Amino acid sequence: MPARLKDIAEDLNLSVVTISKVLRDHPDISRETRERVLKRMKELNYRPNLAARALVTGRSYIAGLVVPDLVHPFFGQVAKGLSNGLRKKGYSLVLSSSEDDPALERQEIELLLARRVDVLIVASTQSSVETFHRLEEQKIPYVLIDRRFHGLAANFVGVDDAAVGELATAHLMDAGCRRIAHIGGPNVSTALGRVAGFRRALQAGGMAVAPEYVEMREHGDDAGAASGYKAMQRMLALSPPPDGVFCYNDPTAMGAMKAVLEAGLRVPQDVAVAGCGNVAYAEFLRVPLTSVDQQSGAIGERTARMALALLEKGAPPRPKTVLLSPKLVVRASTLRPRR
Amino acid sequence: MPARLKDIAEDLNLSVVTISKVLRDHPDISRETRERVLKRMKELNYRPNLAARALVTGRSYIAGLVVPDLVHPFFGQVAKGLSNGLRKKGYSLVLSSSEDDPALERQEIELLLARRVDVLIVASTQSSVETFHRLEEQKIPYVLIDRRFHGLAANFVGVDDAAVGELATAHLMDAGCRRIAHIGGPNVSTALGRVAGFRRALQAGGMAVAPEYVEMREHGDDAGAASGYKAMQRMLALSPPPDGVFCYNDPTAMGAMKAVLEAGLRVPQDVAVAGCGNVAYAEFLRVPLTSVDQQSGAIGERTARMALALLEKGAPPRPKTVLLSPKLVVRASTLRPRR
DNA sequence: GGAGAAAACGGAAACTGTATCGGTGACTGA
DNA sequence: TCAGTCACCGATACAGTTTCCGTTTTCTCC
């Protein structure tokens, strides 16, 4: 059994209150007693029972994180940044994976609430905002990351998805592509934002958006590669086929690239490929992949900052939005000679 | 404020004890009261305060996981498998990243202990076993994963690292390589096991182990690619250079491959390359990479099983070891015509 | 009708820590 | 000498739940 305040108190003929005060650096303890107590604490290697503390203070010093998929490097990076940011203030991170299942996500959120987490951070797969309205009723501070909801005024940290789409598409146009396609993702804000940026960039460049060049696919991120592969195969059968494609994310882009190469075409000469996410290994791919960096580390860090601010300063009158600017990382998959 | 047992009790003119019993499906409650209580719980959407419960039962229903790096896909997969396995029994996972820093790891373990986690799961970066002896003194159940310690009898789940080395090396020999090199990792059990397997396979095949063909590198996993790149460059300057290389992990292999290609040599014809980890994108690399699968998903799942067994059945008299068999996944990077 | 048992419920302590407020003794200053 | 102040410490009352044991009521059966 681990030592308790009471044990130390008895050993030293003091009251638990005194020990507790030492623990919390309360001023009205003499230097002498403080040292005796600290010494004894060390000997017993005492650790306060945080569950007990949470019970009385009403603060658990736990943040809950719910992500759709831990294996996705993006969420891994976010979790890392978050964990590092929170650690400094003594917060722990409890992690839930929703497996891209809205029902499971709700259930996990319930569990986290039962644990009385101080703040909730979620990359949601919900299609409705009801869950979050409930959180607001109960005044649970929460931060949405990556994906957000139209019409829900919530604290949010993520990348500017429209800018992602614009950036990649403009770059493809710049690289000389004339028939630019898009392979998109499921029906969440990220995918919608990116395709919107894609359209906007094409229009700004005076190019039409051919409907057959746009395909939005419902898939988990893990199936991205297979999904991109199939979509690209279909597009290559068109005549004329696209000569550039912007993909919702990097796995999708990898699948698309595979389809292009298998069809006997070259990347980037025949079809230029750009992705999003800037995965660590983008450089080592078949053809090194041009990708839009989502700033995942920064998202984690900014989210930690926002979460801590919520806890320390209370909820701001108007929820804050942090929109990070994406950065284009150009590699061989779009590097083709200008003509 | 969330509802408490007391609130429900007062509303219904019952005692908290009764409500608590309903909550835990205790038999001695009439069907009628049970239903009244459940109804009221639903109305208030009551959730038991798990911190309070933990305090009295002494069980937090929390498992602590400490990994060196969340971004590494291996640990992401383990965390996912673990989280899924534990969820079924109502356990949550609190996550700490040690950033490959032994001191930080110890500190995080302390924090988890203060939270009174029921079980600790750690992929340790410690060089000494002292931390774990302390855990044993305090009778904290724990499971080591991935990396273990010579001379420490602890519950362990991981892959058979010697088999990893043997499998990859034997395969390279089989592919006709005559001068096989190894680029190894830092001084932890995984790297040591793999190099041991490497040596054993060579000896079993009647080949000598040239010291200049073996390089063990201290690096975090993130720096793996850079590290593999440098090591390979050095080896290619030897005469004769190796014609096959088994790398500690996939990032290292990617770096090595880059060095080979930059030197104007071909993979696999001039140098065959094998890695370990079987990362999701191995198929899409410059040359699709042959890799030994570490069974990361299975590790997570088996660890969850073992952790739950520890909690339900108590610690077994002798710690158990689960050694998973690695599987070789052959791709183009070692596929060369037999002569 | 009364013993005994079963069913349904509740009182009180316990878990470990924190907050609040009050108390004690020593010293100050007039 | 005595009120006032300060430094230090402790009694008590929680926080929300479980557990142990006890009580009350009803039922069964001879």
Side-chain angles (χ1 to χ4, degrees):
Chain A
M1 286 297 99
R4 304 158 304 169
L5 280 192
K6 195 178 172 187
D7 300 323
I8 300 179
E10 281 168 2
D11 290 358
L12 268 46
N13 271 321
L14 293 167
S15 86
V16 288
V17 179
T18 307
I19 319 297
S20 172
K21 283 177 179 170
V22 171
L23 200 57
R24 289 169 292 131
D25 277 327
H26 198 284
D28 57 43
I29 299 293
S30 72
R31 217 169 58 89
E32 190 197 6
T33 11
R34 179 185 307 276
E35 275 165 9
R36 282 205 310 149
V37 171
L38 289 175
K39 176 157 168 290
R40 191 71 187 135
M41 280 185 176
K42 198 144 239 162
E43 285 168 6
L44 298 178
N45 66 64
Y46 172 77
R47 284 262 121 193
N49 184 324
L50 296 184
R53 176 180 285 174
L55 186 58
V56 32
T57 61
R59 299 194 53 179
S60 59
Y61 277 84
I62 295 183
L65 173 66
V66 184
V67 297
D69 180 11
L70 263 179
V71 172
H72 197 299
F74 172 74
F75 293 115
Q77 249 147 352
V78 169
K80 179 177 180 172
L82 205 46
S83 158
N84 285 336
L86 294 175
R87 183 199 348 259
K88 289 170 198 150
K89 300 278 180 182
Y91 281 82
S92 291
L93 192 64
V94 6
L95 191 67
S96 299
S97 180
S98 69
E99 306 298 318
D100 262 311
D101 174 352
L104 192 52
E105 179 183 313
R106 284 192 293 271
Q107 185 187 320
E108 290 291 301
I109 288 179
E110 283 298 311
L111 180 58
L112 292 172
L113 292 182
R115 295 206 181 276
R116 301 296 191 267
V117 297
D118 291 336
V119 60
L120 214 46
I121 295 146
V122 19
S124 179
T125 73
Q126 301 294 316
S127 53
S128 103
V129 299
E130 195 223 347
T131 306
F132 301 102
H133 282 148
R134 287 245 307 278
L135 290 181
E136 266 156 26
E137 275 167 25
Q138 303 182 245
K139 299 203 191 313
I140 313 283
Y142 70 98
V143 180
L144 258 29
I145 59 173
D146 191 46
R147 309 170 182 191
R148 56 175 162 174
F149 295 95
H150 189 70
L152 176 69
N155 294 293
F156 175 79
V157 179
V159 77
D160 182 342
D161 283 301
V164 166
E166 286 187 84
L167 204 56
T169 311
H171 169 68
L172 286 171
M173 289 165 50
D174 214 44
C177 297
R178 314 300 308 152
R179 300 183 304 280
I180 303 179
H182 175 60
I183 302 176
N187 189 29
V188 295
S189 69
T190 44
L192 299 177
R194 288 171 202 179
V195 69
F198 167 78
R199 293 178 192 280
R200 200 186 304 163
L202 284 186
Q203 277 156 11
M207 289 172 65
V209 180
E212 68 272 24
Y213 279 0
V214 178
E215 179 157 344
M216 308 296 282
R217 300 186 67 99
E218 282 292 338
H219 59 70
D221 282 303
D222 41 345
S227 174
Y229 178 73
K230 281 191 195 148
M232 195 68 218
Q233 276 189 324
R234 193 188 58 69
M235 288 184 184
L236 289 174
L238 297 174
S239 85
D243 62 355
V245 58
F246 160 52
C247 299
Y248 168 62
N249 64 14
D250 286 346
T252 305
M254 279 154 45
M257 196 186 284
K258 184 178 170 195
V260 172
L261 297 175
E262 274 186 10
L265 299 171
R266 296 161 303 167
V267 175
Q269 292 87 340
D270 299 311
V271 184
V273 179
C276 175
N278 193 27
V279 291
Y281 46 88
E283 175 189 354
F284 298 97
L285 294 178
R286 201 71 153 274
V287 179
L289 180 66
T290 292
S291 186
V292 181
D293 194 291
Q294 267 183 96
Q295 314 270 51
S296 43
I299 290 181
E301 192 229 331
R302 295 298 293 270
T303 305
R305 285 231 295 270
M306 186 181 279
L308 291 172
L310 285 179
L311 294 173
E312 283 163 13
K313 306 196 183 69
R318 282 190 47 209
K320 294 203 193 302
T321 292
V322 173
L323 263 199
L324 297 167
S325 303
K327 299 261 181 295
L328 183 71
V329 181
V330 178
R331 297 197 184 85
S333 73
T334 58
L335 265 186
R336 51 187 205 175
R338 303 286 280 280
R339 30 173 181 176
Chain B
M1 285 297 100
R4 303 158 305 168
L5 281 191
K6 196 177 172 186
D7 300 323
I8 300 179
E10 281 168 3
D11 291 357
L12 267 45
N13 271 320
L14 291 168
S15 86
V16 287
V17 178
T18 307
I19 319 298
S20 174
K21 283 178 178 169
V22 170
L23 201 57
R24 287 170 294 127
D25 277 326
H26 197 282
D28 57 43
I29 300 292
S30 71
R31 217 168 59 88
E32 190 197 7
T33 354
R34 179 186 307 277
E35 275 164 10
R36 283 205 309 148
V37 171
L38 289 175
K39 175 156 169 290
R40 190 69 188 137
M41 280 184 177
K42 199 144 239 163
E43 287 168 6
L44 299 177
N45 68 63
Y46 171 78
R47 283 263 120 192
N49 184 324
L50 296 184
R53 176 179 288 175
L55 189 57
V56 35
T57 61
R59 299 193 54 179
S60 59
Y61 278 82
I62 295 182
L65 173 65
V66 185
V67 297
D69 181 12
L70 263 179
V71 172
H72 196 299
F74 172 74
F75 294 114
Q77 248 146 353
V78 169
K80 180 178 180 173
L82 204 47
S83 158
N84 285 336
L86 295 176
R87 179 196 354 258
K88 289 170 198 151
K89 300 279 180 181
Y91 281 82
S92 292
L93 192 63
V94 6
L95 191 68
S96 299
S97 180
S98 68
E99 306 299 318
D100 263 309
D101 174 351
L104 191 51
E105 179 183 314
R106 284 193 293 271
Q107 185 186 319
E108 290 291 302
I109 288 179
E110 283 297 311
L111 181 57
L112 292 172
L113 292 183
R115 293 205 182 278
R116 301 296 190 267
V117 298
D118 292 336
V119 60
L120 215 46
I121 295 146
V122 18
S124 179
T125 74
Q126 301 294 316
S127 52
S128 104
V129 299
E130 195 222 346
T131 307
F132 300 101
H133 281 150
R134 287 245 306 275
L135 290 181
E136 265 155 28
E137 275 168 24
Q138 303 183 243
K139 299 205 191 311
I140 313 283
Y142 69 100
V143 180
L144 258 30
I145 59 172
D146 191 47
R147 310 171 181 190
R148 56 176 164 173
F149 295 95
H150 189 70
L152 176 68
N155 293 293
F156 175 79
V157 178
V159 78
D160 182 342
D161 284 301
V164 167
E166 285 186 85
L167 204 56
T169 311
H171 169 68
L172 287 171
M173 288 164 49
D174 215 43
C177 299
R178 313 300 308 153
R179 302 181 303 279
I180 303 179
H182 176 60
I183 303 177
N187 189 29
V188 295
S189 69
T190 44
L192 299 177
R194 288 171 201 179
V195 70
F198 167 78
R199 291 177 193 281
R200 200 188 302 164
L202 285 186
Q203 277 155 12
M207 290 173 63
V209 180
E212 67 273 23
Y213 279 179
V214 177
E215 180 156 344
M216 307 297 282
R217 299 186 67 100
E218 283 292 339
H219 60 70
D221 283 301
D222 42 344
S227 173
Y229 179 72
K230 281 192 195 148
M232 195 68 219
Q233 277 189 323
R234 192 189 58 70
M235 288 185 186
L236 288 174
L238 298 173
S239 82
D243 61 355
V245 58
F246 161 52
C247 298
Y248 168 62
N249 63 13
D250 286 347
T252 305
M254 281 155 44
M257 197 186 284
K258 183 178 170 195
V260 172
L261 297 174
E262 273 187 10
L265 298 170
R266 295 162 304 166
V267 175
Q269 293 87 340
D270 299 311
V271 185
V273 180
C276 176
N278 193 27
V279 290
Y281 46 89
E283 175 189 353
F284 298 97
L285 295 177
R286 199 70 154 274
V287 179
L289 180 67
T290 292
S291 186
V292 180
D293 194 291
Q294 266 182 101
Q295 314 272 49
S296 44
I299 290 181
E301 193 230 330
R302 295 298 294 269
T303 305
R305 285 231 294 271
M306 185 180 280
L308 291 172
L310 285 179
L311 294 173
E312 283 163 14
K313 305 196 183 69
R318 281 191 48 210
K320 293 204 193 302
T321 292
V322 172
L323 263 199
L324 297 168
S325 303
K327 298 261 181 294
L328 184 71
V329 181
V330 177
R331 296 197 185 85
S333 72
T334 57
L335 266 185
R336 51 187 206 175
R338 302 285 281 280
R339 35 170 180 177

